[in-house]
Amino acid sequence: MLPERTVERLSEYRRSLLQCLEEGKTHIFSHELAELHHNTAVQVRRDIMFIGYTSMQRKGYDVRELIDVIGEILDSEEGLNVAVIGVGNLGRAVTTYFIGKRSKLNIIATFDVDTTKIDRVISGVKCYPLSRLKEMVESHKISIAIMTVPAGSAAEVSTHLVEAGIKGVLNFTTVPLQVAPDVYLDEYDMITSLEKIAYFVKTAG
Amino acid sequence: MLPERTVERLSEYRRSLLQCLEEGKTHIFSHELAELHHNTAVQVRRDIMFIGYTSMQRKGYDVRELIDVIGEILDSEEGLNVAVIGVGNLGRAVTTYFIGKRSKLNIIATFDVDTTKIDRVISGVKCYPLSRLKEMVESHKISIAIMTVPAGSAAEVSTHLVEAGIKGVLNFTTVPLQVAPDVYLDEYDMITSLEKIAYFVKTAG
DNA sequence: AGGAAACTGTGAATAAATTAACAATAATTT
DNA sequence: AAATTATTGTTAATTTATTCACAGTTTCCT
């Protein structure tokens, strides 16, 4: 099991590599990847070492091969199915944003309590009532949920997710969630990001 | 200058503390904060030690005092002004999401190249043409930009930001940006977050 | 061909972050 | 009022992450 930061960086490298591929660039040096991603050549090499890939020496890494190797690490064969919970502004944005980005992660459905939203289709993804969550998770093998509900209902909804059998949660709510220990939880809070930026802008400048 | 992770955690603690205040809870123990934020009591105490606050021993931390002390560290007196660049789904969601959340961070304006969006108002924030960015940054003392433009124009727009005098950037684009070294840059990529979750779901389960 | 240059892969060193361990202290119990 | 308990603040230890330093290749140059 790789370190969390390494997994993140591999995902980031892959996107740059796919970009290279589009541009017809077939090889890339560790220091090039490093510069793109604001880190060092050694860090890149170490990350790549972790996944056991070795390059053609002196030519840099073979872009296509490296993409494949990262894919073997990050992706699962059949892909993983994802649900978006909460179809407010953020939920819609996230859904639209994702569609077509990564073929191994499929947004299968969105869910909301608001009955006026049920059956609405956003970027080809249909909205279901939260009450049908468990049924849908089981029938469509949904394993990951993206939480974009209002803060007030976050705690309650997250217990439903766990009950329904969700295995990973990406929480965009301002409220930190409590989930079962076998559920992988990642929380992202843009206010924290902004406050961090504000702190460093203020402190450095 | 505090470590980056500590700053993030302080921001997160503060939100929980504000919640406590609303609920009329006047004191909180390190282990309570820890549990809320999925870390340890020692970690919480160390973070709080960093900012030099000490509690009433044995009663836990005074919620209101701690909020104030964190505020002194994170906030700047006058507040910081923020612009959202790119008024697509994500830009609108981010703008709406922010309004009213943190009084020390004010979203002053949004910007877009699409002329049909100019002058449109979202959650009380008006949209300006990108060509007026520099002027607005100067006249309104905007120091932070949130990038929610399409990947294709990210690189170009980011050079405008730097030229305009922006000091901190939160990049929601899938493209890693290159900014001047004195500009603080934070990149968040939800696809990376999801891929990370997918990896750990797959690997652990 | 021989030497210089450009990269990678990695063991060792360093730095950063987290955790353990515990003395100090305040509240509570007996 | 002494003993017990609960909690903080902090030093030291540990773990994790990053960087240094360099041997080993391959390519390029002369």
Side-chain angles (χ1 to χ4, degrees):
Chain A
M1 186 131 65
L2 300 173
E4 202 163 305
R5 286 293 294 126
T6 300
V7 173
E8 288 180 17
R9 284 192 299 256
L10 288 171
S11 162
E12 287 158 12
Y13 298 158
R14 174 161 65 177
R15 189 145 36 265
S16 294
L17 292 166
L18 288 164
Q19 183 58 35
C20 288
L21 208 59
E22 261 180 44
E23 293 166 2
K25 189 172 166 70
T26 61
H27 292 78
I28 191 166
F29 296 127
S30 57
H31 65 263
E32 292 178 303
L33 262 178
E35 194 170 17
L36 283 171
H37 292 280
H38 315 299
N39 67 164
T40 67
V42 190
Q43 180 74 76
V44 169
R45 295 205 299 273
R46 170 90 44 202
D47 288 334
I48 289 174
M49 191 183 119
F50 260 119
I51 61 175
Y53 177 68
T54 84
S55 70
M56 302 263 286
Q57 285 229 11
R58 187 57 232 263
K59 276 226 172 83
Y61 299 99
D62 183 294
V63 171
R64 193 184 299 268
E65 275 180 26
L66 189 46
I67 289 170
D68 289 346
V69 177
I70 294 176
E72 278 165 34
I73 301 286
L74 295 188
D75 300 337
S76 41
E77 198 69 35
E78 346 69 53
L80 284 180
N81 295 333
V82 179
V84 173
I85 321 292
V87 190
N89 282 301
L90 190 57
R92 280 196 298 276
V94 168
T95 306
T96 309
Y97 181 86
F98 260 107
I99 292 304
K101 284 268 165 67
R102 288 296 308 146
S103 59
K104 291 292 182 182
L105 295 170
N106 318 302
I107 297 200
I108 296 289
T110 65
F111 292 86
D112 208 300
V113 278
D114 182 345
T115 50
T116 67
K117 288 176 180 162
I118 309 305
D119 288 336
R120 201 190 287 181
V121 175
I122 294 152
S123 305
V125 182
K126 195 167 153 189
C127 181
Y128 295 85
L130 249 182
S131 54
R132 292 188 58 193
L133 179 69
K134 183 161 190 176
E135 167 208 330
M136 290 288 291
V137 165
E138 285 164 4
S139 62
H140 289 76
K141 298 201 194 315
I142 298 172
S143 50
I144 296 177
I146 304 178
M147 284 270 286
T148 50
V149 303
S153 42
E156 193 204 330
V157 171
S158 80
T159 64
H160 290 324
L161 294 181
V162 176
E163 278 168 22
I166 287 288
K167 286 302 166 208
V169 177
L170 174 50
N171 178 28
F172 283 121
T173 292
T174 42
V175 184
L177 301 181
Q178 304 300 322
V179 297
D182 66 326
V183 176
Y184 184 88
L185 174 64
D186 191 37
E187 314 210 290
Y188 178 74
D189 186 330
M190 27 179 132
I191 295 180
T192 289
S193 277
L194 255 212
E195 288 186 342
K196 181 175 70 170
I197 295 170
Y199 171 81
F200 285 107
V201 164
K202 156 182 107 147
T203 308
Chain B
M1 185 131 67
L2 299 172
E4 201 163 305
R5 287 293 294 126
T6 300
V7 174
E8 287 180 16
R9 285 191 300 257
L10 288 171
S11 162
E12 287 157 12
Y13 298 158
R14 173 160 68 176
R15 189 143 39 263
S16 294
L17 292 166
L18 288 165
Q19 183 58 34
C20 288
L21 209 58
E22 261 181 43
E23 292 165 4
K25 189 173 166 70
T26 61
H27 291 77
I28 191 166
F29 295 127
S30 57
H31 65 262
E32 291 177 302
L33 262 179
E35 193 169 18
L36 283 171
H37 292 280
H38 316 299
N39 67 162
T40 66
V42 189
Q43 181 73 77
V44 169
R45 296 206 298 275
R46 174 147 317 263
D47 288 334
I48 289 174
M49 191 184 120
F50 259 120
I51 60 175
Y53 177 68
T54 84
S55 70
M56 302 262 286
Q57 285 230 11
R58 186 61 231 263
K59 275 225 172 84
Y61 299 98
D62 183 295
V63 171
R64 194 182 300 267
E65 276 180 25
L66 188 48
I67 290 170
D68 289 346
V69 177
I70 293 177
E72 278 166 33
I73 301 288
L74 295 189
D75 299 337
S76 41
E77 198 69 36
E78 346 68 55
L80 284 180
N81 295 335
V82 179
V84 173
I85 321 292
V87 190
N89 282 299
L90 192 56
R92 280 195 298 276
V94 167
T95 306
T96 309
Y97 181 86
F98 259 107
I99 292 304
K101 284 267 164 66
R102 290 296 308 146
S103 59
K104 291 292 183 182
L105 295 169
N106 319 302
I107 297 201
I108 295 289
T110 64
F111 292 87
D112 208 298
V113 277
D114 183 345
T115 50
T116 68
K117 287 176 181 162
I118 308 306
D119 288 336
R120 201 190 286 181
V121 175
I122 293 151
S123 305
V125 182
K126 195 167 154 188
C127 181
Y128 296 85
L130 249 183
S131 53
R132 292 188 58 195
L133 179 69
K134 184 162 191 176
E135 166 208 330
M136 290 288 291
V137 164
E138 285 162 5
S139 62
H140 288 76
K141 296 201 195 315
I142 297 172
S143 50
I144 297 177
I146 304 178
M147 283 269 287
T148 51
V149 303
S153 42
E156 193 204 330
V157 170
S158 79
T159 64
H160 290 322
L161 294 182
V162 176
E163 279 168 22
I166 288 288
K167 286 302 167 208
V169 177
L170 175 51
N171 177 26
F172 283 121
T173 291
T174 42
V175 184
L177 300 182
Q178 304 300 322
V179 297
D182 66 326
V183 176
Y184 184 87
L185 174 65
D186 191 38
E187 314 208 291
Y188 178 74
D189 186 330
M190 25 179 133
I191 294 180
T192 289
S193 277
L194 255 212
E195 288 186 342
K196 181 175 69 169
I197 295 170
Y199 171 81
F200 285 108
V201 163
K202 158 182 105 145
T203 308

